[in-house]
Structures are given as C-alpha cells and as structure tokens.
Amino acid sequence: MDPKQENHILPKDIIEKLFPYELPTPEELEKKYPPRYLQEGAMVTRVGPSPTGLMHIGGVYSALISERLAHQTKGVFYLRIEDTDELRSKAETTEVIVKALDHFDIPTDEGMTISGEEKGKYGPYTQSARKDIYRSMVRSLVEKGKAYPCFCTGEETKAMGEEQMKQGLRPGYYGKWAKWRDAAPGDVSKELEKGTPFVIRLRSEGNFENKIKVHDLLKGDLELSENDIDKKILTASSGLPTYHLAHAVDDHFMGTTDVIRGDEWVSSVPLHLQLFDAFGWKAPRYGHLAPIQKMDGGSKRKISKRKDPEANAMLYKDQGYPPEAVVEYLLNLANSAFEDWRKANPKKDNREFELTLKGLSKSNGPLFDFVKLNDISKDIVSRMSADEIYEKSMVWAKEYDPKLAEEMEKNSDYTKSIFNIERMGEARGRKDIGKWADMDSEIGYFFDPLFDEKKPAVALSSYGVAKEERESIVGDFLETYNENDTKDEWFEKIKDIARKFGYAEGAKQYKLEPEKYKGQVGDVAKIFRVLLTGKTNTPDLYSIMKVMGKERVVRRLKDCDSV
Ligand code: GLU
C-alpha cells in the first residue's frame, strides 16, 4: 500500500469518481430547506415508519404521541417514509401506513397523503426519493476528510466479525480493524479502476472508553460510551444511506426539533450526535419510547410483528374498535393521568387532554391489555348517540359484515331504536358493545334473517322448566300482552303469571323462603328472554319487546311450541 493519508482528505479527482453525479451543494440544500418559522416552544416532530409490512400498533402509539406534542405546541407533525432498506421495503405498505394514520385520526401536516401525493415544502418525504440529498451531504463529509470509501467485501467484514468474536473483542469496524480508514489515494484509485463496489464510512474520532452525557426527554440523563466505530453511512451502489445518515440529514433539513422514537435507537445516539457534529448542525432533542409489551406466560415481552396479531394496527379496525377508543387506550398507556382526566371530563374531546413530556411513561414499556381496551371502548360507545352508533357501525359492517349491514340499512329506524336500548342501559352501567365485531352476537337476534331459531332450544334445554309449563306460561302471557303497556303494567302481568305458576314475585322473597317456590319472577322472564333472543343475558326485556314490536314478539313466543 502507498503511504497513509495524512490529513484524511482524498484528492479531488478521486472524490469525483466516488460521486460521478450532478449533485446539489450543501449550501443549495440549506437554501432550499430554510429553518422553519416557529412560535416559541413549538415542537416539530415526525413519525418515520419503514414500509416493510403492516403498521405496528407501536408505530401508531409513537405517531400519536409525536402528533399531540407537535400540535399542542402549535408546531408541525409530519410523516416520513423510511424506505432505505430496499430489500425489505414494499411500496404498497406506504399506503397501509397512510391509511392507518388516517383511520386513527392522527393528522399530518406534511408528507405522504391518502391521495398518494405528498404535501409540504420540506420534501420529498420518502427517503428513496432523496438520494441526491444524501449523496451531496456524504460527499461533503468526504471532502472534509470526515468520511471515506471502504472496499471490503461482505465476506471480509464477516470474517472480521468472527475473528473479533474469537478474540473476545467488541465487534465492529474500528481501530486496527478499520482497514480502509487511512488508505492511500493510490489504493483507493486502484479499486475504483477495478470497479470494486464500495460503501462510505464515517471517520469516527470517538473513544469507546469515554462517556458522554445525554439528556433524553423521556429517559432522563443517560451516560453512553462514545462511538468509535466507522459506521457505514452510504451504500454507493444503490446510493441509499443507512438509517443513521438519513436520520441526521432528514431531521436537519426537515427541521425536526424533537425526535421521539423507539428505544432500540438509544445506543446509536452517540453516533447520531457525531454525525450532526460532523455536518456542523445542531442536533435535535431525543426522546426514546419503551416498546409496548404484553404478558406471555408469566413474563412480559415486546409485542412482536411476527408472533402477535395484536401488533397489527389494522386488527383494531378489522375488529371494529372505534378509532377514538384505540386512541384513548394508547393515551392511557402513554400517560396514566389520562384516565382520571377522562373521568373528570367525560364529554370532552381527548385532544383537550394535554400530553406532556413529563407525564409520559418513563423507562418501562407499557403493558397492552385487551380488557382495558374493551372497557374504554364500551365506555366510548355508550356515550355515542344512536345515530352516531348507526353511522359508525354501518361503515364497519359494510366492509366486514355485509349481511348485518343489509339488515341495518333496510331497517334503519328499527336499528337505531335497538341502539337506543343500549343507551337506556347506560344509566344502569350496562355497556354491551365495545367493538362493531360484537354487534352480530349482541344485536343480531333483532333481525329475523339473522336470528338463529335453534338457539332458544339450546338455551332452554339446560333450563329446568318443563315444556308444558313453559307453553302455559307463554300462553298466559300472550293472552293479556298489550304492546302499549307501560313498563309497570307489563311487569305486573309478568308477576301475576309468576305467582300463578308458583314462582316468587321478587328475588328477595324467594331468598327468604326458597322452599316455598319453584323459583322467582326472573326465571319466568328468562323464558321470554330466551325465546325472543336466544340468549340468557340481554338488555332490558321490556325494551326489547317494545323495539321488536308485537308481531315479532308474538311470532317468536309462539315458536315456543316447536322448541
Ligand atoms: N424507520 C425507523 C424505524 O422504523 C424510524 C426511527 C425514527 O423514528 O427515527 O425504526
């Protein structure tokens, strides 16, 4: 090899060969992407998902937090598609991401939109369309001697890693292992002439033994080792950068003030700070979020895209959770104060809740819990008007349960009165529907074509009232049934029947002298309930009869003969 590079700066002609493109200069880029005009305290945040498949619920969680922080401070929230991993990126999943943000009503000010076009002045917002920006900035580092080409083959770096492991050393391209770090220009030229593929690496001046102090917005003060690894920043063949370079370049030119991202990136902060420093830029503030976890057996673990269906944000759409329920659940995970706020402000829009950095969950990953999500969702549905439930559930049903949608549409007033029963129940704390996928089982029986006539038979078969007695009870009821009866009148009639057949007219009475009765009035009502709905547990029976209407009630009760 020729003598080593002294000032680390490669001759101009070699740099030209490394970057044989027409590129904008860094000055031109600075001009094109000027600092944003922001109010005092305004935060510019972003979400940078990689379009490699589904939208992870953790991605929605971090997008939601970033969006709220930006908009609460009158800042900007934007979407950047991080598709630098060509092998793993799939164009169609960008659409999945945009649709997911739209579904959960997480509005972006800039970036890809649902129409397939980008909005905003700091674009393009898709990394694969920013090659020239990255190349320009990497070239500027090479020109300053802060980055250099490395011609190691994949096998060479693999062998290096194996050797390091054998010797019990830290893996990586550093120190004496950084083969091309100070290579002579002649050696670089030779490889270029041969057409050997190369990558560009950052020339790291860090010392692993030194510690740096970093303040993390969420994790607090951290002490991390300096980075001494000459990390790959650009893959010259594809012209695409690694995440590290793209992060620094994009978050600089897009004017991000606060990077909220997953805590798998904490250990890369020293490298990222080095990059900002190498460019002479101010680094953003960082806040690293712990991943959402779940219980698996007796222990907690990260929700995984591969193993857990609940990792997929669209599962919640498929199941018909109202988007605001998922949002409120995630706000609850992000900040436990949300729950009390919601209790104190049952009618307020959740946007009025102020999500503060201070209030955000700190180190431990929040635990995902479907029971809690369902509770929150039921609560939200119970606060909706019947019209609102009708509208929202219809959107879901049309896509996922067309038979139900057809019935709901044909009988819209009937359907709304069904939803009103659910709302009447609210006063007693009854909340039946948490997600639209439950509708079929919760209200399907109201519609004749969806009512499974075999169900009452199954439900009554294990019920200790003889068929003849059941028939007499139903016969007696039908004799005096008047659909205009008030609830009290109706109930008096049921009580009369109960007494006549040897049942106590109240639960209390029955409890006092159980030996005197066959059962109590509730057992009699249960016969009607099961015959009408096929279920033993339903909202208020009187309301059900009212909504079903006389013809349907009589028909279903008469079917008792066949049960
Ligand atoms: N594309 C990165 C990821 O999916 C984004 C990290 C960031 O927000 O900076 O992990």
Side-chain angles (χ1 to χ4, degrees):
M1 277 201 177
D2 289 352
K4 296 211 166 190
Q5 258 312 84
E6 276 312 323
N7 63 0
H8 318 307
I9 297 179
L10 288 166
K12 259 196 155 114
D13 61 317
I14 291 186
I15 298 179
E16 279 307 311
K17 282 187 194 136
L18 291 171
F19 298 94
Y21 323 99
E22 205 38 62
L23 293 176
T25 64
E27 294 71 32
E28 283 164 352
L29 291 172
E30 293 290 353
K31 241 188 166 158
K32 185 167 176 198
Y33 304 112
R36 293 171 182 272
Y37 177 74
L38 296 169
Q39 285 188 27
E40 175 88 30
M43 292 166 86
V44 179
T45 63
R46 85 294 191 276
V47 61
S50 302
T52 54
L54 44 82
M55 180 75 172
H56 196 288
I57 190 70
V60 176
Y61 177 63
S62 113
L64 175 70
I65 291 172
S66 296
E67 185 266 330
R68 292 290 162 101
L69 291 174
H71 290 149
Q72 278 170 195
T73 55
K74 308 231 171 352
V76 176
F77 170 66
Y78 69 90
L79 166 65
R80 184 167 69 224
I81 302 295
E82 306 213 327
D83 59 346
T84 53
D85 187 341
E86 282 186 305
L87 293 177
R88 291 173 60 228
S89 297
K90 301 185 202 104
E92 65 277 11
T93 46
T94 294
E95 199 183 320
V96 172
I97 293 164
V98 177
K99 280 192 174 157
L101 294 180
D102 182 66
H103 177 73
F104 293 108
D105 192 19
I106 301 176
T108 53
D109 303 301
E110 298 170 15
M112 185 54 83
T113 65
I114 202 106
S115 71
E117 270 170 39
E118 291 190 341
K119 60 179 177 185
K121 290 192 194 137
Y122 289 82
Y125 295 87
T126 300
Q127 290 183 328
S128 57
R130 299 172 62 80
K131 276 185 187 173
D132 282 355
I133 303 175
Y134 305 126
R135 281 175 169 152
S136 160
M137 293 317 302
V138 172
R139 183 177 64 182
S140 77
L141 289 183
V142 176
E143 283 167 350
K144 288 188 265 181
K146 295 186 175 187
Y148 62 89
C150 161
F151 298 89
C152 286
T153 60
E155 286 90 72
E156 266 180 285
T157 36
K158 195 168 156 229
M160 176 187 89
E162 280 163 7
E163 186 54 34
Q164 287 169 326
M165 202 145 94
K166 219 161 82 191
Q167 295 186 24
L169 297 171
R170 247 183 332 118
Y173 202 92
Y174 62 95
K176 68 169 184 164
W177 304 94
K179 183 174 163 191
W180 287 91
R181 184 177 164 98
D182 295 313
D187 294 329
V188 174
S189 283
K190 262 185 236 158
E191 295 301 329
L192 283 175
E193 263 150 46
K194 278 194 274 177
T196 313
F198 62 91
V199 300
I200 305 284
R201 291 183 181 275
L202 175 74
R203 165 181 264 283
S204 171
E205 302 297 347
N207 176 352
F208 189 72
E209 303 305 323
N210 290 347
K211 298 277 181 216
I212 53 169
K213 286 201 163 93
V214 179
H215 180 75
D216 189 281
L217 296 171
L218 304 171
K219 295 188 185 291
D221 290 331
L222 303 175
E223 236 184 44
L224 302 167
S225 284
E226 259 177 30
N227 170 53
D228 65 347
I229 296 179
D230 286 3
K231 277 281 189 182
K232 194 160 74 177
I233 53 176
L234 192 75
T235 309
S237 51
S238 68
L240 283 173
T242 55
Y243 166 75
H244 310 295
L245 190 275
H247 151 55
V249 170
D250 291 348
D251 283 316
H252 170 71
F253 285 121
M254 296 180 178
T256 310
T257 60
D258 297 84
V259 169
I260 310 291
R261 63 182 177 185
D263 66 3
E264 69 270 27
W265 297 112
V266 170
S267 59
S268 304
V269 170
L271 164 66
H272 297 165
L273 294 175
Q274 256 177 343
L275 277 165
F276 278 93
D277 201 46
F279 286 121
W281 297 333
K282 183 171 181 265
R285 289 180 290 256
Y286 288 102
H288 289 92
L289 281 171
I292 300 179
Q293 307 197 76
K294 71 177 279 183
M295 286 309 285
D296 188 2
S299 53
K300 287 186 196 173
R301 67 163 172 81
K302 212 164 126 170
I303 291 188
S304 129
K305 255 190 197 183
R306 254 163 294 127
K307 285 193 243 166
D308 307 312
E310 67 265 41
N312 181 1
M314 288 334 240
L315 169 93
Y316 306 91
K317 173 176 181 273
D318 297 347
Q319 295 264 308
Y321 284 101
E324 60 269 44
V326 178
V327 163
E328 294 212 358
Y329 179 62
L330 294 178
L331 286 174
N332 200 67
L333 283 187
N335 186 341
S336 52
F338 178 77
E339 195 167 4
D340 287 340
W341 177 88
R342 177 43 92 208
K343 268 191 204 129
N345 305 282
K347 297 239 149 60
K348 281 194 178 163
D349 189 314
N350 62 47
R351 285 196 173 273
E352 290 184 47
F353 173 72
E354 200 189 341
L355 194 66
T356 57
L357 281 168
K358 257 209 209 130
L360 283 177
S361 312
K362 298 284 181 257
S363 48
N364 292 329
L367 202 56
F368 196 91
D369 171 8
F370 267 104
V371 176
K372 183 88 189 164
L373 169 63
N374 278 314
D375 284 351
I376 288 181
S377 197
K378 284 179 178 177
D379 208 58
I380 285 184
V381 175
S382 78
R383 286 200 301 267
M384 291 179 189
S385 69
D387 279 346
E388 238 180 305
I389 299 181
Y390 180 80
E391 243 165 65
K392 295 189 177 187
S393 61
M394 181 63 91
V395 174
W396 179 87
K398 278 194 169 154
E399 192 174 345
Y400 296 94
D401 192 345
K403 272 196 197 153
L404 179 63
E406 192 188 326
E407 290 305 313
M408 285 169 60
E409 204 156 39
K410 266 198 304 207
N411 311 287
S412 59
D413 287 343
Y414 178 54
T415 309
K416 284 179 196 170
S417 49
I418 296 168
F419 290 138
N420 261 326
I421 300 182
E422 305 302 331
R423 289 187 55 70
M424 279 187 238
E426 185 194 347
R428 300 198 322 268
R430 168 161 215 144
K431 292 165 185 164
D432 299 70
I433 299 179
K435 54 185 190 299
W436 309 135
D438 293 341
M439 279 196 307
D440 186 48
S441 66
E442 293 300 333
I443 66 159
Y445 60 79
F446 277 97
F447 304 100
D448 292 335
L450 305 181
F451 179 56
D452 178 357
E453 281 154 24
K454 287 186 214 86
K455 270 204 171 154
V458 177
L460 286 173
S461 63
S462 58
Y463 190 48
V465 184
K467 188 168 191 259
E468 297 74 45
E469 181 162 303
R470 258 172 16 218
E471 277 172 18
S472 312
I473 286 176
V474 169
D476 271 23
F477 176 76
L478 288 177
E479 247 168 53
T480 62
Y481 171 48
N482 178 348
E483 67 170 334
N484 297 320
D485 278 348
T486 62
K487 187 163 182 180
D488 286 344
E489 285 162 351
W490 172 87
F491 196 43
E492 279 311 317
K493 287 180 180 174
I494 305 260
K495 283 201 277 197
D496 281 348
I497 296 173
R499 271 192 298 267
K500 176 170 166 196
F501 285 86
Y503 292 80
E505 62 170 67
K508 250 198 216 146
Q509 217 176 0
Y510 177 66
K511 247 196 177 154
L512 286 173
E513 298 171 289
E515 63 291 344
K516 257 179 83 179
Y517 304 102
K518 287 186 198 158
Q520 47 110 348
V521 65
D523 299 317
V524 174
K526 191 156 151 190
I527 297 172
F528 302 121
R529 190 185 304 279
V530 171
L531 288 170
L532 291 174
T533 68
K535 290 158 69 92
T536 48
N537 191 6
T538 71
D540 179 54
L541 183 59
Y542 170 77
S543 309
I544 289 180
M545 288 194 184
K546 271 288 225 215
V547 169
M548 280 189 168
K550 183 162 187 175
E551 186 273 326
R552 192 181 273 106
V553 168
V554 171
R555 177 161 38 83
R556 287 196 186 177
L557 291 183
K558 277 194 171 156
D559 278 350
C560 170
D561 296 344
S562 59
V563 168

